[in-house]
Amino acid sequence: MNDKCHLELTHVNIDFPTDTGPFRALEDVSLKIDKGEFITLIGHSGCGKSTVLNIVAGLHRATAGGVILNGREVVEPGPERAVVFQNHSLLPWLSTYENVELGVKQVFKGKKSRAEMRDWIEHNLELVHMSHARDKRPDEISGGMKQRVGIARALAMQPEVLLMDEPFGALDALTRAHLQDSLMEIHASLGNTVIMITHDVDEAVLLSDRIVMMTNGPAATIGEVLHIQLERPRERLALADDARYNHYRSNVLKFLYERQKRPEESGEADDAAAPGTDDPREDVKPENIALRVVGS
Amino acid sequence: MQTETTLNKYQAYDLKFMDRLLTFLSSDQRSGGARRLVQAVGVPLAAVALFLMLWSVLAAKVQTSLGQLPGPAKVWEQALVLVDEHQAARAKEAAFYQRQEKRNAEKLAANPNAEVRIRPYTGAPTFFDQILTSLVTVATGFLIASLIAIPIGIVTGMSQTLYAAFNPIIQLFKPVSPLAWLPIVTMVVSAVYVSKDPLFAKSFLNSAITVTLCCLWPTIINTAVGVSTVDKDLINVSRVLRLPWLTKTMKIVLPSAIPMMFTGLRLSLGIGWMVLIAAEMLAQNPGLGKFVWDEFQNGSSNSLARIMVAVLVIGFIGFVLDRGMLLLQRKFSWDKSAITR
Ligand SMILES: Nc1ncnc2c1ncn2[C@@H]1O[C@H](COP(=O)(O)OP(=O)(O)O)[C@@H](O)[C@H]1O
Ligand SMILES: [Mg+2]
């Protein structure tokens, strides 16, 4: 780990105005991230993960505290903090190529020639294995392909920080595994700093340098940070039998389903509080755990 | 391959009926095919037949002061008469010009310095002339309205302030029947449009402006809604990219508003066509409405049949205009799922 900190969230609070007064979504979120680090944010839905990401992106302003990137405060969105949105957010009227081009033209205006830009766009489509669909519109390609294009659009902006909000959430297990592998390759070769939100414990362990686990809202904050000390490149099949891998995995599961039970779940548990059913594994409901690809 | 190209051609013309027929013909599995054929061709044909039958039976029972209410046969007969009348008028016009040219040629032969001129033909407009007049009028009114309404819709959709400024005006005038405007339009045009050698007839301007006044509102409102409801995520994309205002407008806001814009344009054109006919009747301005009114005043035994021909033609043109807009929408909009009903 470098001693020079790259991206820092300091005591971030955010209040959303609502009809019944301000709603405190995040309280005292602090995190230091090194250059090239891969961070995943995990937590129950509605806890405030997207809000954290949006604050780093500059799409939301923190009510108190703030974000520093390379010594400068983040006050607005910018292409050095590219976002891969949860629902891909491609422009439906543009082709794959044009969607990537939109960002490239904006970022490299005056820095790259036309031909260089074209090569750069094609290179990025190549990275996510989408060159074959360069002239297709978003509604002509599958969900996984759209996510790939979304990633290519973000990568092509040559961002220092890549922010991804559940990028693979809506994909089937096989496609997701493919994209995870691509993402690891790309991260290994480009070394961007990545903050990624996920629901999938296996995905988090497989990809991350650190897993940041968030407590339930309101006033959510960082509950625990788990260092994943598995050497790279990581190989999903080999990891399946790795004791450390399973240890990390169960750590995250314990955090999510023991220490941060969802309110409605703890309510249920209270109602049906029959003595002797306090086995924590009861709360690890299968529907709460994303599909396991690794080693399954 | 062969079927595929034909299929595409018909789809382009958006004849749903043809689509269905061809889908049926090119479908590989014929199981249930008979039912689909009945659905695609049989049912509409049966409905039309039933309609014609009811029409002829019921019409026979109604005696008006202009004679019996005409049935389909009588109407068809009058449609042919209208075609004949049109051809006769054209022949007369051609003969009229020929006679003049001949006379002028003779004059010039006798005296090379003779002054010759050609007087314009001034026969009464035929049914088809009136159709053309109405079409030109509605197109003019609609175009003017679109040129005004789309920019206003865009700016009101993009700016809260301008929305607040325009909204009361739009809300106030939207529900006004355009026919209520007609007297005002007529007076204003008479007062303002004074020219010795007018490019357009006043009656044409009156009708066109009336059409414009009713075509404005649906286009403004739908464009504004389309522009103001751009997907939040797409706006976030433009924020992350720090797109300049103009790029954002051209690349993100306008394209995403196009489907709503077309919805507004389609509504406008439909209303405009309906209003035009009424305005022509009311103001005695040339066009299909005047044809209907003249026939009504004329009160011959054929008048009702001729009016019915006009009614059917008005309906058919309205339908074609709507399909034309839909075709444009399909061509220019990224959203190919435009409703076809
Ligand atoms: N713009 C907003 N206005 C009001 N409340 C919001 C807004 N955005 C998020 N929230 C609230 O903040 C909490 C965290 O939301 P979010 O960050 O989307 O959760 P997550 O991404 O972890 O599922 C939720 O309770 C949500 O209702
Ligand atoms: Mg979220």
Side-chain angles (χ1 to χ4, degrees):
Chain A
M1 206 186 291
N2 313 345
D3 45 5
K4 176 91 175 68
C5 171
H6 170 57
L7 178 65
E8 180 171 11
L9 288 83
T10 6
H11 306 299
V12 168
N13 286 8
I14 190 163
D15 295 327
F16 288 114
T18 64
D19 296 338
T20 54
F23 171 79
R24 172 146 301 189
L26 295 177
E27 186 161 278
D28 199 23
V29 174
S30 295
L31 185 66
K32 290 184 178 187
I33 300 172
D34 293 325
K35 201 171 180 61
E37 214 179 353
F38 199 120
I39 300 281
T40 50
L41 284 179
I42 201 163
H44 289 293
S45 70
C47 72
K49 304 180 296 294
S50 298
T51 308
V52 171
L53 204 78
N54 285 336
I55 290 173
V56 176
L59 293 166
H60 286 329
R61 271 313 288 278
T63 313
V67 179
I68 308 247
L69 174 64
N70 292 331
R72 290 181 49 196
E73 189 178 2
V74 167
V75 290
E76 58 168 349
E80 77 284 353
R81 281 162 284 125
V83 184
V84 177
F85 293 90
Q86 181 164 9
N87 63 350
H88 66 77
S89 297
L90 300 177
L91 308 188
W93 44 90
L94 297 184
S95 70
T96 294
Y97 181 90
E98 290 163 334
N99 263 291
V100 179
E101 185 185 37
L102 185 70
V104 169
K105 270 195 173 158
Q106 186 58 22
V107 174
F108 298 104
K109 201 170 22 187
K111 290 178 208 152
K112 281 187 195 291
S113 71
R114 254 158 187 273
E116 281 169 340
M117 283 196 204
R118 202 193 50 230
D119 292 344
W120 175 243
I121 295 164
E122 274 163 2
H123 167 74
N124 279 281
L125 286 175
E126 190 65 51
L127 267 184
V128 296
H129 309 297
M130 282 302 294
S131 304
H132 61 284
R134 77 194 285 283
D135 296 321
K136 291 222 163 80
R137 299 236 187 124
D139 60 356
E140 298 168 328
I141 58 182
S142 70
M145 289 158 94
K146 281 184 252 204
Q147 263 332 329
R148 283 174 191 274
V149 179
I151 293 171
R153 176 174 65 185
L155 288 174
M157 289 150 70
Q158 222 168 36
E160 287 187 68
V161 183
L162 189 60
L163 304 168
M164 302 202 277
D165 193 345
E166 294 182 37
F168 311 141
L171 305 180
D172 64 277
L174 267 177
T175 312
R176 198 185 316 171
H178 268 9
L179 287 180
Q180 288 164 354
D181 289 339
S182 308
L183 186 59
M184 281 194 288
E185 272 173 42
I186 291 167
H187 180 243
S189 64
L190 301 181
N192 310 72
T193 308
V194 180
I195 304 179
M196 170 167 158
I197 295 175
T198 179
H199 267 138
D200 181 339
V201 177
D202 289 292
E203 180 170 274
V205 178
L206 178 69
L207 298 177
S208 318
D209 295 314
R210 278 191 292 162
I211 300 179
V212 173
M213 295 176 257
M214 295 191 52
T215 64
N216 289 336
T221 188
I222 294 175
E224 213 174 283
V225 177
L226 186 67
H227 278 265
I228 306 294
Q229 282 155 328
L230 297 169
E231 45 295 316
R232 293 178 187 270
R234 294 175 186 169
E235 176 53 57
R236 67 178 64 240
L237 282 178
L239 285 177
D241 301 324
D242 192 313
R244 291 171 301 163
Y245 178 88
N246 287 309
H247 165 75
Y248 292 135
R249 202 176 162 272
S250 67
N251 258 359
V252 179
L253 284 174
K254 276 199 187 120
F255 177 87
L256 287 177
Y257 300 111
E258 251 178 72
R259 296 188 37 203
Q260 294 295 322
K261 284 184 213 176
R262 279 199 262 200
E264 63 268 30
E265 279 167 11
S266 31
E268 257 173 43
D270 285 346
D271 287 346
T277 55
D278 50 358
D279 179 359
R281 306 206 58 110
E282 291 282 321
D283 284 309
V284 186
K285 295 179 185 164
E287 69 267 24
N288 290 337
I289 304 173
L291 220 154
R292 259 191 97 183
V293 182
V294 177
S296 59
Chain B
M1 192 64 215
Q2 184 64 39
T3 5
E4 211 172 281
T5 44
T6 18
L7 191 72
N8 286 338
K9 194 171 119 210
Y10 282 116
Q11 266 169 347
Y13 288 102
D14 189 49
L15 293 169
K16 209 170 180 184
F17 169 77
M18 271 306 201
D19 274 9
R20 288 210 200 131
L21 181 60
L22 279 168
T23 319
F24 162 73
L25 290 176
S26 63
S27 77
D28 287 333
Q29 89 257 51
R30 291 294 162 94
S31 56
R35 240 191 70 199
R36 257 179 292 147
L37 181 64
V38 169
Q39 272 270 339
V41 192
V43 173
L45 276 183
V48 171
L50 188 69
F51 171 74
L52 291 177
M53 235 167 65
L54 276 177
W55 176 9
S56 53
V57 170
L58 293 179
K61 300 197 167 160
V62 182
Q63 276 298 328
T64 71
S65 59
L66 294 178
Q68 197 192 52
L69 202 65
K74 188 89 189 297
V75 169
W76 176 245
E77 183 194 303
Q78 282 308 309
L80 296 179
V81 169
L82 284 170
V83 174
D84 285 344
E85 282 176 8
H86 176 73
Q87 282 165 347
R90 277 295 121 85
K92 227 169 112 188
E93 183 182 349
F96 174 77
Y97 283 119
Q98 226 170 17
R99 268 201 314 278
Q100 287 196 60
E101 269 166 32
K102 200 168 146 220
R103 205 177 312 136
N104 287 340
E106 279 166 7
K107 259 194 207 167
L108 285 171
N111 171 14
N113 297 326
E115 231 177 80
V116 295
R117 59 198 174 91
I118 293 197
R119 281 175 299 128
Y121 178 74
T122 51
T126 67
F127 180 58
F128 293 91
D129 295 333
Q130 302 286 38
I131 293 179
L132 190 67
T133 309
S134 285
L135 281 176
V136 172
T137 315
V138 82
T140 310
F142 174 71
L143 266 176
I144 297 173
S146 305
L147 289 179
I148 299 172
I150 289 176
I152 293 184
I154 290 172
V155 295
T156 47
M158 294 216 285
S159 149
Q160 282 292 325
T161 319
L162 285 172
Y163 176 79
F166 275 98
N167 196 37
I169 303 175
I170 295 171
Q171 297 305 333
L172 180 67
F173 287 142
K174 188 183 65 161
V176 175
S177 163
L179 296 180
W181 289 109
L182 198 58
I184 304 174
V185 170
T186 310
M187 297 316 290
V188 171
V189 167
S190 308
V192 175
Y193 189 68
V194 275
S195 143
K196 282 240 175 55
D197 182 24
L199 189 55
F200 304 109
K202 273 184 189 161
S203 60
F204 169 79
L205 278 187
N206 291 339
S207 303
I209 293 174
T210 308
V211 170
T212 301
L213 281 174
C214 68
C215 285
L216 283 176
W217 319 115
T219 306
I220 293 185
I221 291 170
N222 281 282
T223 305
V225 169
V227 167
S228 61
T229 53
V230 180
D231 186 350
K232 224 177 108 259
D233 286 328
L234 298 187
I235 294 295
N236 280 342
V237 168
S238 91
R239 289 178 66 198
V240 168
L241 287 173
R242 290 210 192 122
L243 291 183
W245 184 84
L246 191 67
T247 317
K248 175 184 146 192
T249 307
M250 300 306 290
K251 290 270 163 113
I252 294 184
V253 176
L254 290 189
S256 78
I258 278 185
M260 281 299 279
M261 224 182 263
F262 268 102
T263 304
L265 289 173
R266 259 180 88 194
L267 277 173
S268 291
L269 188 56
I271 296 173
W273 180 243
M274 280 201 273
V275 162
L276 173 65
I277 305 298
E280 285 166 352
M281 283 179 78
L282 196 65
Q284 298 287 297
N285 292 342
L288 272 171
K290 182 167 162 59
F291 174 87
V292 170
W293 188 251
D294 286 351
E295 287 299 333
F296 180 58
Q297 294 299 318
N298 185 6
S300 84
S301 58
N302 288 329
S303 286
L304 284 179
R306 289 158 76 93
I307 290 176
M308 282 189 189
V309 175
V311 166
L312 293 177
V313 166
I314 291 167
F316 181 71
I317 291 177
F319 168 77
V320 170
L321 290 178
D322 190 59
R323 290 293 129 145
M325 282 306 294
L326 201 67
L327 228 150
L328 276 180
Q329 175 165 12
R330 289 265 177 87
K331 197 163 161 51
F332 288 108
S333 175
W334 47 274
D335 185 10
K336 302 295 177 200
S337 61
I339 350 93
T340 50
R341 279 170 195 274

